[in-house]
Amino acid sequence: MERTVTNEKRKYMILGIAVFFLLAFWSIPARAVTFERIPDACDYINGQEEQLAEGIDFTLEWCEAYTMDSNELLRYFQMQGGFVIGTIQVTKHEDKTVDVHLEPYYYPGVRVAYAYRSGDTSFLTSEERSLYDYCMDIANDAYLVSNTDLEREKYIHDFICDRVVYKTDGTKDSTMPVPRHKTAIGAFFDGEANCQGYTDLFYVLATMAGFEVRKQIGGNWSWTGPSDNNHIWNVIKLDGKWYEVDVTWDDQEHSDAPYIYASFNFAPGWSYGHDLGNFGVCADMGWSSDQKYFYYSELGVCASDYATLAQKVYDYKCNHPNESQVHAMYIGGQLDTAAFDNAMKDYANQFSRWVNWSYRVYTIQFDNPEQWNSFLVVTWNQFG
């Protein structure tokens, strides 16, 4: 008697074969993302952090990681900026490869920024949810009062400088593994922060205002423990290029000149104290001298001689009659106040106007030890 396979049996046979191959495929261990150098993992780590990944896994091949212990590796990966404290599992193999598994704790600002990008706020704490709501309002205000990306970024920069006072120590919050002043929570609600808090708050506000922004760590960094010279700031993408912005250093906390813009969209090498050293770079900043979006190139005034500087300061006031202050930069040295005052008087006298001004000067050294630049905040007390 001829045996036939019914359609019903054929269906179950095909289903069984499919299940067999599916199980066989699942049993093959997934190959981790691999990198030949530790810095090469930077973009991957940043991408995982931006997704608030609970675990970050990758393999390092034939690099210095094989000679480092777990604590050294954890500190290196923490310098990418998105997380502060976490656990790490490191497995070293005879072929000199190193498997890394990170379980990070994320800054509140990073968590709130992710909630904004994903549209899911369900995982936020009550205080993070409050921060989310307030930051949304501020970001919306930035859109309303600004005509350009640069003006929108400036609004956020100035808001933080107005609201936050620099603080180097603080008490620990039982809900977070770090003191409040090192987070956007402390910066916004308490008005106190160190560089970590400033950077975390700028990160979430700039994200909500439509920018792509990251965190960058630099300074005299130690492999084995904390260093008093560590520093963290932000990088922001404008017109397809990354620029550095350091709100902490721009916040000068003087009543007559509360902040400057010396660290507003500077390129690598243009600001002293932002050395990367052995740090990984969180974004491709190109290592150029591009100053297209540096504040004093776009919104403020700058010059390398006193006559031109005085003219630009005066003309800026004429073109912006409702602004009482002008931010200016003298390129190439410490400002000679007498020479600048004389140049201001000479230029103003041409227009028979009664004018009176005062100013505060900040002189900052760039990476070149011989290069100093002076940043002025000129206040017009009378301009009639």
Side-chain angles (χ1 to χ4, degrees):
M1 181 176 180
E2 184 178 355
R3 301 180 63 182
T4 61
V5 179
T6 65
N7 289 336
E8 187 71 17
K9 289 182 178 180
R10 184 179 292 109
K11 180 175 70 173
Y12 283 112
M13 288 173 61
I14 295 173
L15 181 62
I17 294 171
V19 170
F20 172 81
F21 280 107
L22 184 61
L23 291 174
F25 176 77
W26 278 351
S27 67
I28 300 174
R31 180 172 174 80
V33 180
T34 60
F35 304 96
E36 293 184 358
R37 297 172 57 251
I38 295 179
D40 293 338
C42 292
D43 282 343
Y44 176 72
I45 292 175
N46 277 311
Q48 292 294 298
E49 289 173 355
E50 289 171 357
Q51 297 300 315
L52 223 65
E54 294 183 3
I56 303 176
D57 296 279
F58 53 93
T59 297
L60 297 166
E61 296 182 333
W62 299 95
C63 66
E64 64 272 28
Y66 195 79
T67 64
M68 299 165 63
D69 63 31
S70 297
N71 289 332
E72 290 173 334
L73 281 170
L74 179 60
R75 280 188 53 74
Y76 192 98
F77 298 131
Q78 283 174 328
M79 79 185 186
Q80 298 308 318
F83 63 94
V84 287
I85 289 177
T87 60
I88 186 172
Q89 296 176 2
V90 175
T91 304
K92 297 182 179 180
H93 302 284
E94 292 183 359
D95 62 357
K96 304 295 185 180
T97 59
V98 179
D99 295 333
V100 178
H101 173 74
L102 291 169
E103 293 184 0
Y105 168 83
Y106 293 103
Y107 283 91
V110 175
R111 287 167 52 82
V112 172
Y114 174 76
Y116 169 77
R117 289 193 299 266
S118 67
D120 176 16
T121 61
S122 62
F123 64 92
L124 297 178
T125 67
S126 59
E127 203 163 27
E128 288 172 345
R129 181 55 204 250
S130 295
L131 180 67
Y132 178 99
D133 293 336
Y134 281 117
C135 287
M136 279 295 296
D137 290 341
I138 296 161
N140 289 333
D141 289 343
Y143 273 106
L144 291 174
V145 303
S146 307
N147 295 318
T148 66
D149 289 349
L150 205 58
E151 290 176 349
R152 194 163 73 254
E153 180 192 359
K154 178 182 179 295
Y155 184 90
I156 294 168
H157 172 282
D158 295 355
F159 172 86
I160 296 173
C161 287
D162 285 333
R163 189 176 187 90
V164 183
V165 174
Y166 185 76
K167 184 178 183 180
T168 57
D169 57 1
T171 57
K172 204 165 186 179
D173 189 319
S174 60
T175 64
M176 295 183 287
V178 293
R180 289 171 63 88
H181 75 289
K182 294 185 176 182
T183 72
I185 295 287
F188 187 88
F189 291 113
D190 305 337
E192 299 176 334
N194 72 345
C195 58
Q196 292 161 289
Y198 275 90
T199 302
D200 200 34
L201 184 55
F202 185 88
Y203 180 89
V204 63
L205 282 172
T207 297
M208 288 184 167
F211 295 103
E212 186 175 353
V213 60
R214 293 178 179 175
K215 299 180 181 183
Q216 177 65 57
I217 292 181
N220 296 326
W221 184 71
S222 168
W223 287 104
T224 57
S227 168
D228 292 337
N229 294 317
N230 287 355
H231 189 47
I232 187 170
W233 59 97
N234 296 100
V235 298
I236 188 169
K237 183 179 277 189
L238 299 167
D239 196 20
K241 290 186 178 181
W242 289 95
Y243 297 86
E244 301 179 75
V245 54
D246 188 343
V247 185
T248 309
W249 279 28
D250 277 353
D251 189 4
Q252 299 295 317
E253 298 175 14
H254 293 287
S255 59
D256 57 341
Y259 42 83
I260 57 176
Y261 300 94
S263 301
F264 188 96
N265 298 344
F266 62 94
W270 265 64
S271 182
Y272 182 74
H274 295 89
D275 179 34
L276 299 179
N278 290 324
F279 292 89
V281 181
C282 71
D284 182 11
M285 290 175 279
W287 304 103
S288 69
S289 58
D290 181 5
Q291 295 299 311
K292 181 178 180 181
Y293 292 106
F294 184 49
Y295 177 88
Y296 297 95
S297 300
E298 240 352 82
L299 298 178
V301 299
C302 61
S304 57
D305 66 89
Y306 295 117
T308 304
L309 186 65
Q311 176 183 341
K312 288 185 174 183
V313 167
Y314 187 94
D315 291 348
Y316 184 95
K317 174 60 178 175
C318 293
N319 295 326
H320 303 81
N322 295 326
E323 296 186 21
S324 62
Q325 290 186 332
V326 181
H327 288 265
M329 173 182 175
Y330 174 65
I331 303 172
Q334 299 189 47
L335 186 80
D336 183 331
T337 56
F340 176 66
D341 278 333
N342 289 333
M344 287 280 285
K345 292 173 184 176
D346 290 342
Y347 189 75
N349 286 339
Q350 301 178 47
F351 304 97
S352 301
R353 264 182 167 161
W354 183 259
V355 295
N356 179 265
W357 64 86
S358 59
Y359 53 87
R360 184 177 289 276
V361 182
Y362 307 88
T363 302
I364 297 178
Q365 182 186 28
F366 281 9
D367 281 352
N368 181 349
E370 298 179 357
Q371 182 180 3
W372 294 78
N373 295 283
S374 297
F375 298 88
L376 299 76
V377 183
V378 180
T379 301
W380 292 102
N381 303 315
Q382 187 168 3
F383 197 88

